[in-house]
Amino acid sequence: MELHILEHRLKVASIEREGIQVCTHGLVKLAFLSSRTRCKFFSLTETPEDFTIIVDEEGFKELPQTEHMSVAEATWLALNVVSGGGNASSAQPIGVTKIAKSVIAPLADHNISVFMLSTYQTDYILVRERDLPMVMHTLSSEFTLFRVVNGETVAAALLGVTNGFDKPKLGTEAKNAPRPVIHPLSSPSNLFCVTSLDPDTLPPVATLLMDLMFYSGSPKDGGACPDDASRIRFFSFSLIEGYISLVMDEEVAHRFPNNVLFTSASGELWKMVRIGGQPLGFDECGIVAQISEPLATADIPAYYISTFKFDHALVPEENIQSVIGALRTESTTQ
């Protein structure tokens, strides 16, 4: 297995809902006019609380400085797991649970915070740039490490620096003990699609996408409705190295023309688990591991999207009750 350290230096930011109009010009350019920018990594996720932006340094220059935007202090790097030397962007992923035990858990054990972005194409594990030496040290025994430099993949040399955190030595029983889930969980009633589209088909649906991304107050968009408080507004658009990924409410997907969105042969729909009763912050370690490890043990695929304030796991519709039951059991047995 290979672990690729991508060359994008990323910023993670939150835009207040009432301030989105201030940033719309730059966001439209990043999403729909990428050929006019040098941005290669852009993601926008809307939740009921705010808009989360993940963007490389070139893309960040396109956004205005505004009091409505909060930017996480650190610069982040994206890691990508590749099996057999193939290109992970060329096939639909099987979810974050496949890297739970080999990547996410070891990083949590070494006190390294991660920020997750699952897309239709692959899963990105974001780590703080300052943590990279310890990340490489932690994962070097399981993976062949590569760095992407000026678009070329080259072998990565260990940097030989640690974060000063010594992983505690555990007995066999403690090693096998489940990681407790310490944050509240909720599951909205929405059904979600994880999909994509060919960039060549972007212009005909650009108006629809702009409506969904920036004008979601309209009840026709399938967002939270007054008569169904259990539904939430969640929409994610990513354009990363030329590949588009979309996560949206099933009803929203019906607004797209036929044969535009990519769908799996099974037409699988996903249910969401929201993690966090209050904003989680960026310093706590192990949140993704708490959720992904039980799912990996149960062999349940999942997508995982971290946002500025909360985390979101998507699991197959038919698995939601067993997932909630398992995670709540972990949270009550800590």
Side-chain angles (χ1 to χ4, degrees):
M1 296 282 281
E2 298 177 359
L3 184 76
H4 291 195
I5 305 162
L6 306 186
E7 58 187 330
H8 314 292
R9 301 180 76 244
L10 304 173
K11 294 293 186 181
V12 178
S14 165
I15 302 175
E16 299 172 358
R17 296 188 64 84
E18 57 268 27
I20 190 63
Q21 67 273 13
V22 179
C23 302
T24 298
H25 176 80
L27 294 173
V28 167
K29 187 175 180 180
L30 292 170
F32 304 108
L33 300 171
S34 59
S35 61
R36 300 186 184 181
T37 76
R38 298 175 65 183
C39 179
K40 301 298 182 184
F41 195 114
F42 170 70
S43 178
L44 168 70
T45 299
E46 181 187 0
T47 68
E49 296 77 28
D50 64 353
F51 293 82
T52 293
I53 310 295
I54 307 173
V55 65
D56 62 25
E57 290 179 315
E58 291 295 332
F60 191 71
K61 296 175 184 177
E62 303 289 345
L63 300 176
Q65 294 186 1
T66 169
E67 62 182 4
H68 296 290
M69 180 186 293
S70 300
V71 184
E73 180 181 353
T75 296
W76 298 77
L77 300 177
L79 312 179
N80 187 216
V81 174
V82 177
S83 177
N87 184 346
S89 297
S90 63
Q92 189 172 354
I94 49 180
V96 69
T97 52
K98 297 300 181 184
I99 55 173
K101 296 184 182 299
S102 59
V103 178
I104 296 169
L107 294 180
D109 290 339
H110 285 83
N111 207 38
I112 299 169
S113 179
V114 302
F115 196 85
M116 285 297 308
L117 177 63
S118 293
T119 68
Y120 181 83
Q121 290 80 21
T122 191
D123 299 290
Y124 297 99
I125 310 105
L126 274 59
V127 298
R128 291 183 175 101
E129 187 175 42
R130 64 173 180 260
D131 288 332
L132 182 62
M134 189 61 185
V135 169
M136 296 173 68
H137 174 78
T138 301
L139 301 179
S140 59
S141 62
E142 287 284 336
F143 294 92
T144 304
L145 304 181
F146 292 90
R147 297 199 71 161
V148 180
V149 180
N150 297 323
E152 298 293 328
T153 302
V154 298
L158 294 181
L159 302 179
V161 181
T162 72
N163 61 0
F165 179 83
D166 292 324
K167 180 182 176 182
K169 293 180 173 59
L170 303 176
T172 303
E173 183 176 344
K175 286 181 179 180
N176 295 329
R179 198 182 302 269
V181 177
I182 62 175
H183 292 285
L185 307 172
S186 62
S187 182
S189 63
N190 313 53
L191 289 171
F192 291 93
C193 299
V194 181
T195 185
S196 180
L197 53 81
D198 188 322
D200 291 339
T201 66
L202 187 58
V205 296
T207 301
L208 171 57
L209 281 169
M210 282 188 276
D211 185 37
L212 296 172
M213 294 163 72
F214 307 120
Y215 304 99
S216 60
S218 169
K220 69 180 181 179
D221 68 1
C225 302
D227 58 347
D228 189 356
S230 64
R231 296 173 66 86
I232 69 162
R233 173 66 192 176
F234 188 94
F235 184 85
S236 186
F237 173 96
S238 298
L239 176 57
I240 300 174
E241 297 181 346
Y243 292 91
I244 295 172
S245 177
L246 298 163
V247 181
M248 69 185 85
D249 186 287
E250 177 198 19
E251 294 184 11
V252 169
H254 291 320
R255 295 179 56 187
F256 284 79
N258 291 335
N259 302 319
V260 169
L261 299 178
F262 298 160
T263 56
S264 64
S266 62
E268 194 162 36
L269 296 175
W270 302 78
K271 292 282 287 185
M272 177 183 290
V273 178
R274 290 233 310 167
I275 301 102
Q278 58 184 0
L280 298 171
F282 293 89
D283 293 325
E284 183 179 346
C285 303
I287 299 174
V288 181
Q290 293 163 18
I291 305 302
S292 61
E293 281 187 303
L295 301 185
T297 299
D299 199 27
I300 296 174
Y303 293 86
Y304 199 105
I305 298 177
S306 301
T307 60
F308 205 86
K309 296 183 178 180
F310 297 99
D311 280 10
H312 309 80
L314 294 167
V315 299
E317 176 187 6
E318 64 271 16
N319 295 125
I320 186 62
Q321 293 304 322
S322 59
V323 167
I324 290 289
L327 294 178
R328 285 184 173 158
T329 297
E330 300 297 347
S331 68
T332 58
T333 57
Q334 57 178 299

